[in-house]
Amino acid sequence: MNYYALEPGFQFPIATYTISQKAAEDYLDAVEDISEVYDNNDLVAPTALAAYALRGLMESIPLPPGAIHGSQELELLGEVMIGQEISCTGTVVQNSSRAGRRFISIDLLVRGEDGNPRLKGKTTLILPLEPTTP
Amino acid sequence: MQTGQELPSIAKRVTQGQIISYAEASGDLNPVHWDENFAKTTQFGRTIAHGMLVLAFVSEMMTRAFGRSWIKSGKLRIRFKAPVFPGEVVHTFGTVRRVEKIDGATRVQCIVGCRNPQNEEVVMGDAELLLPSSIEGRP
């Protein structure tokens, strides 16, 4: 299975992660976010949740090299704390080609360990030309 | 919080080291971000920062301006318009476009984005959130 063949409605397998303190801190260090809101608490950055959602997609079906992000929508629905488990999935909503490139839109959903949504989103990826079979 | 109010901008110097750190933290190991030889074969000609890294800068701007209200209720719609290359300093921007009272809360809508050293928009979109009626948000 590859991204070029994904049909609208395809649902990626659910990926679950427990966000460790190190992972949460590594993320904040990587984006160099020094917001005071993260001081002295176990709050996970909301964009880290989006990154995990995208990680779940890529771990299920690797992106072809050279794929880039076209657009991103995020809806933040609640806090996630360090040590909590999240469940991430995605559903393909569009897969089309134009101007020699492929555009794939995927709805993202991250649930907290209580099953309630913590983040929704839509990501649009732009893929290079489809590989041709020799 | 008033229409037209500018949110405090954040400047970020994007380095290749940071891009690699983000790749490891996020799990996005697309070679366009870290493999110079591969990146030379792409339209960009060199490595570029992850779009989600630049988006995180915008989210940080919103977090700093609105605190946990952003984390609990924020919405963000972003287009990635241009690449960010390692070595560039980018600046976020945000302007309050609309403030309205809704069901005892205050909805704040903003135009947001990020510009490169050439003052070109690399990321552009809008954001909104709900503030409890007791909080107006820090300017």
Side-chain angles (χ1 to χ4, degrees):
Chain A
M1 178 71 75
N2 61 58
Y3 281 87
Y4 300 98
L6 295 180
E7 296 281 344
F10 173 83
Q11 185 162 6
F12 285 77
I14 295 174
T16 59
Y17 304 98
T18 300
I19 304 175
S20 68
Q21 178 141 9
K22 183 178 187 307
E25 290 175 351
D26 284 350
Y27 180 86
L28 288 177
D29 287 344
V31 301
E32 297 181 357
D33 190 336
I34 57 171
S35 302
E36 291 179 356
V37 75
Y38 302 114
D39 291 346
N40 303 314
N41 63 50
D42 289 337
L43 194 58
V44 175
T47 51
L49 301 182
Y52 274 98
L54 294 171
R55 178 195 291 241
L57 305 185
M58 291 184 285
E59 287 178 346
S60 172
I61 304 177
L63 279 172
I68 59 173
H69 229 130
S71 65
Q72 183 68 54
E73 297 178 17
L74 293 178
E75 185 177 355
L76 311 179
L77 300 169
E79 297 177 340
V80 172
M81 311 305 282
I82 290 170
Q84 291 182 344
E85 183 178 272
I86 56 171
S87 301
C88 309
T89 189
T91 304
V92 175
V93 293
Q94 183 182 8
N95 188 342
S96 60
S97 62
R98 65 178 183 273
R101 291 188 288 182
R102 182 156 289 276
F103 296 80
I104 298 177
S105 292
I106 303 171
D107 278 346
L108 305 174
L109 175 62
V110 176
R111 295 186 186 273
E113 55 188 23
D114 60 3
N116 291 326
R118 292 294 189 272
L119 179 144
K120 293 182 181 178
K122 176 182 282 187
T123 191
T124 297
L125 303 171
I126 305 173
L127 275 56
L129 285 174
E130 297 171 57
T132 55
T133 53
Chain B
M1 194 57 56
Q2 294 181 343
T3 301
Q5 188 168 337
E6 300 282 342
L7 303 182
S9 174
I10 297 176
K12 297 282 191 179
R13 176 178 292 279
V14 178
T15 65
Q16 186 62 55
Q18 180 183 24
I19 293 171
I20 291 173
S21 293
Y22 185 84
E24 293 171 343
S26 67
D28 184 349
L29 303 176
N30 189 331
V32 74
H33 302 301
W34 57 267
D35 186 335
E36 285 288 351
N37 289 328
F38 174 81
K40 283 178 187 173
T41 69
T42 71
Q43 65 204 79
F44 308 111
R46 53 186 291 205
T47 58
I48 61 172
H50 300 74
M52 291 297 288
L53 172 57
V54 184
L55 183 149
F57 301 160
V58 176
S59 182
E60 180 182 349
M61 176 183 68
M62 298 300 289
T63 302
R64 290 207 205 175
F66 300 106
R68 290 175 94 143
S69 293
W70 168 249
I71 295 172
K72 293 178 183 177
S73 70
K75 294 182 182 179
L76 189 61
R77 287 179 293 268
I78 288 289
R79 281 191 302 120
F80 299 103
K81 297 180 66 176
V84 174
F85 298 105
E88 291 188 324
V89 177
V90 296
H91 290 80
T92 66
F93 63 88
T95 304
V96 177
R97 184 176 64 180
R98 188 173 184 183
V99 180
E100 59 180 341
K101 300 292 186 184
I102 293 181
D103 299 332
T106 300
R107 182 163 69 186
V108 181
Q109 295 176 317
C110 304
I111 296 171
V112 296
C114 205
R115 294 190 179 96
N116 65 13
Q118 291 73 41
N119 208 33
E120 300 164 332
E121 292 168 353
V122 293
V123 157
M124 177 68 180
D126 52 77
E128 68 175 70
L129 71 149
L130 290 175
L131 292 174
S133 58
S134 60
I135 299 175
E136 282 293 316
R138 296 186 292 275

